[in-house]
Amino acid sequence: MTDDAKVLAHRMYEAFNTRDVAAAKTIFSVDFVSHPLGTVGIESVMKAWAGMHATFPGLRILVEDMLSDGDGVAVRTTLHGTPADKPPAMMEFFRVRDGRIAELWGLSTLSRP
């Protein structure tokens, strides 16, 4: 599962970076839980991604570090394309179930307008 979980993580960031919001339907489980947003479901991911793209049209996420163990993946990223002097950082941990991201926890230094 470890390698599969990492491939899925890279697929998620690639979909975000290429603005392929519809890919969320193949990446996240139907009952996906975002703990930072307090939401459930794929539609909440699609709405969050679209909002981030609208707020920061040039936003790209760069994976700096990725660790996985079993069905869990921890990722440290930087966010490029924001007006910040230094790229904001993000830490996310997610759990994979049946080949899809089922749950996500995260922290970010990004300040949203």
Side-chain angles (χ1 to χ4, degrees):
M1 171 67 87
T2 297
D3 288 339
D4 292 342
K6 288 173 89 170
V7 168
L8 183 61
H10 281 293
R11 206 167 108 218
M12 175 186 69
Y13 293 114
E14 180 65 22
F16 181 89
N17 287 339
T18 60
R19 310 307 193 252
D20 187 1
V21 175
K25 294 177 182 177
T26 65
I27 296 169
F28 296 91
S29 66
V30 174
D31 58 349
F32 167 74
V33 176
S34 171
H35 293 279
L37 297 178
T39 58
V40 175
I42 297 169
E43 291 298 322
S44 63
V45 174
M46 296 171 73
K47 182 178 176 182
W49 283 11
M52 291 293 290
H53 294 144
T55 303
F56 304 107
L59 184 62
R60 288 192 46 78
I61 298 175
L62 177 65
V63 174
E64 302 288 352
D65 296 297
M66 184 180 295
L67 303 169
S68 62
D69 185 22
D71 66 352
V73 180
V75 187
R76 182 179 67 87
T77 60
T78 50
L79 292 84
H80 299 266
T82 72
D85 292 335
K86 179 180 177 186
M90 188 166 53
M91 278 295 305
E92 292 181 301
F93 177 81
F94 51 87
R95 187 175 56 80
V96 174
R97 183 184 70 230
D98 298 327
R100 295 188 183 223
I101 298 173
E103 234 176 330
L104 181 139
W105 297 261
L107 300 168
S108 171
T109 63
L110 177 66
S111 296
R112 291 188 69 173

